[in-house]
Amino acid sequence: MEGIILGDKETKYPIIQGGMGVGVSLHKLAGTVSKEGGIGIISTADIGYKEEDFYNNPIKANLRAIGKEIKKAREIAGKDKILGVNIMVALKNYTEIVKECVKQKIDLIVSGAGIPKELPQYVKGSSTKIAPIVSSLRSCQLIVKHWIKKYDYIPDMIIVEGPEAGGHLGFKKEELEGEDRPNLENIIKEILNYIKEIKKQYNKKIPVIAAGGIWDKNDIDKFLKIGADGVQMATRFVTTYECDASEEFKKAYIDSKQEDIKIINSPVGMPGRAIYNNFIKQTEKVKEKVDKCYGCIKTCNIVNTPYCITKALINSVKGNVENGLVFCGSNVYKAKELISVHNLMKELMY
């Protein structure tokens, strides 16, 4: 089984670990996944939440933490491995974070939760590769055509995220809850046909990665057979010893049942998939008082937001899961025990 080729580097396995924030995928998880033959992804969403000055100066704390986390992940993975970051377009200081990651010579920037229209201008002349997250043929065509026309830049990778993914989703809530909801296999096939023409026209390798609801070797084999170059998996890596989240966060995954997984309305303005805990039930009834704004999301308004998403995500990753937001993929209820990244990769491949 071939790995994923990105520039002059190649992974052992066709697996990318999805970025999970706040604080779920930092240096320990991402570095270990890269070391074990995949592509580890550090989430940059409020990455500096452990810094002493985060409460008073979150932007400065986040930018400082990026360098720290990338350096620590590199020490685990080794310089020859592919290491990436996930940067949400919805972040208010998106441009600053992208520039800092390029400055730190990250191998790959994965960007979703919005359309990363201007991303190529920040990586030109560097060794950093870029991959937009798309959820339809239309969004893929929009980004590819715009990047080529404005920047003469072809994406280095395309990540196709289906409706079974965790966290924020690139679909309308009606689509996700309707009987005719989009199917990842169909979306992948459409995008593969489109990218095949782009590859031919520009003579460039563009790995297409399937993401959302992929759980085991059978799922991986299915998408590789369709023609995908690899898969992105996030939920499976939460219940590993190396995951940067608290033990209580991991236990929330292991204890979850299928009926606990719901599509919620996020303050970001997108639907999201999460464990339907007491926190979500309470904030659906009564708006939580927000007395501090961390300036994280462009679309969030402190006056009418139902709760502070930064505070909710920090609570959960630190272990206060009943008073926090616990994002997850649709198959989270299948998680039964903790496992090492090494053993998980072997299980997924062999």
Side-chain angles (χ1 to χ4, degrees):
M1 190 176 286
E2 294 181 356
I4 299 168
I5 298 171
L6 191 68
D8 58 357
K9 292 185 178 181
E10 183 176 2
T11 65
K12 184 177 181 182
Y13 302 128
I15 295 176
I16 298 176
Q17 159 254 312
M20 297 170 283
V22 170
V24 180
S25 62
L26 296 178
H27 73 270
K28 192 176 178 185
L29 178 58
T32 307
V33 171
S34 292
K35 177 187 175 185
E36 294 294 339
I39 297 179
I41 302 291
I42 296 168
S43 169
T44 61
D46 284 320
I47 191 172
Y49 79 98
K50 292 180 182 178
E51 297 288 306
E52 287 184 8
D53 58 342
F54 177 74
Y55 188 83
N56 295 316
N57 199 336
I59 294 174
K60 189 176 178 182
N62 287 333
L63 292 173
R64 185 190 317 119
I66 285 169
K68 289 182 179 180
E69 291 294 329
I70 290 174
K71 183 182 178 183
K72 288 178 183 175
R74 281 263 181 244
E75 288 169 358
I76 295 170
K79 291 182 179 179
D80 60 324
K81 305 295 184 182
I82 302 174
L83 186 69
V85 293
N86 181 291
I87 310 175
M88 296 194 300
V89 179
L91 295 175
K92 276 186 180 176
N93 56 327
Y94 176 78
T95 301
E96 290 172 272
I97 290 174
V98 170
K99 287 179 177 178
E100 183 60 30
C101 290
V102 173
K103 181 183 170 184
Q104 297 296 333
K105 298 182 178 178
I106 197 70
D107 297 309
L108 174 67
I109 291 174
V110 175
S111 199
I115 299 174
K117 285 187 175 181
E118 316 307 322
L119 185 54
Q121 71 175 301
Y122 306 121
V123 300
K124 275 206 163 184
S126 76
S127 60
T128 299
K129 309 299 181 188
I130 51 177
I133 298 176
V134 302
S135 55
S136 67
L137 173 61
R138 184 174 172 274
S139 61
C140 181
Q141 289 173 325
L142 175 70
I143 292 169
V144 173
K145 288 176 181 177
H146 178 77
W147 283 10
I148 291 173
K149 184 179 180 181
K150 188 169 182 180
Y151 301 106
D152 191 26
Y153 197 108
I154 296 97
D156 301 294
M157 177 188 287
I158 302 282
I159 296 177
V160 185
E161 197 169 89
E164 305 300 326
H168 294 116
L169 302 164
F171 301 90
K172 294 177 182 175
K173 195 173 181 184
E174 312 86 75
E175 290 180 295
L176 295 166
E177 295 178 336
E179 291 181 9
D180 300 323
R181 68 177 175 174
N183 178 283
L184 179 58
E185 291 177 54
N186 294 336
I187 301 168
I188 279 280
K189 287 173 183 175
E190 290 177 344
I191 289 175
L192 281 168
N193 286 333
Y194 172 65
I195 293 299
K196 188 189 294 181
E197 295 305 311
I198 299 295
K199 283 185 191 175
K200 196 184 293 180
Q201 188 176 347
Y202 293 93
N203 191 28
K204 179 178 178 178
K205 286 186 191 299
I206 311 169
V208 175
I209 309 299
I214 296 164
W215 186 259
D216 56 21
K217 188 177 186 300
N218 289 334
D219 294 333
I220 294 170
D221 289 345
K222 176 175 71 176
F223 285 102
L224 293 181
K225 192 174 181 181
I226 288 172
D229 298 278
V231 298
Q232 177 178 281
M233 309 173 77
T235 298
R236 289 239 48 188
F237 285 100
V238 172
T239 52
T240 60
Y241 297 116
E242 295 88 352
C243 176
D244 297 272
S246 65
E247 297 308 305
E248 292 85 357
F249 189 95
K250 299 174 191 182
K251 191 174 185 295
Y253 270 45
I254 292 169
D255 291 345
S256 69
K257 299 179 179 66
Q258 191 168 7
E259 58 267 27
D260 297 332
I261 318 308
K262 304 285 184 185
I263 301 295
I264 65 162
N265 292 314
S266 162
V268 174
M270 294 174 155
R273 179 173 280 107
I275 295 175
Y276 196 63
N277 59 6
N278 288 335
F279 172 78
I280 296 175
K281 291 172 187 175
Q282 287 168 6
T283 52
E284 282 180 344
K285 294 174 187 173
V286 182
K287 177 182 173 294
E288 187 178 74
K289 185 183 177 184
V290 179
D291 52 13
K292 164 69 180 175
C293 179
Y294 294 90
C296 59
I297 302 295
K298 295 173 187 173
T299 52
C300 182
N301 186 333
I302 193 170
V303 176
N304 55 27
T305 185
Y307 55 88
C308 171
I309 193 167
T310 288
K311 182 182 173 184
L313 290 170
I314 290 174
N315 279 350
S316 63
V317 78
K318 282 185 171 181
N320 188 4
V321 292
E322 282 305 311
N323 289 304
L325 178 59
V326 184
F327 278 139
C328 63
S330 62
N331 287 317
V332 64
Y333 65 93
K334 294 179 182 178
K336 301 300 178 191
E337 61 184 359
L338 291 176
I339 186 174
S340 69
V341 168
H342 176 81
N343 287 342
L344 176 57
M345 296 291 268
K346 296 296 181 188
E347 179 188 317
L348 293 172
M349 289 295 94
Y350 306 114

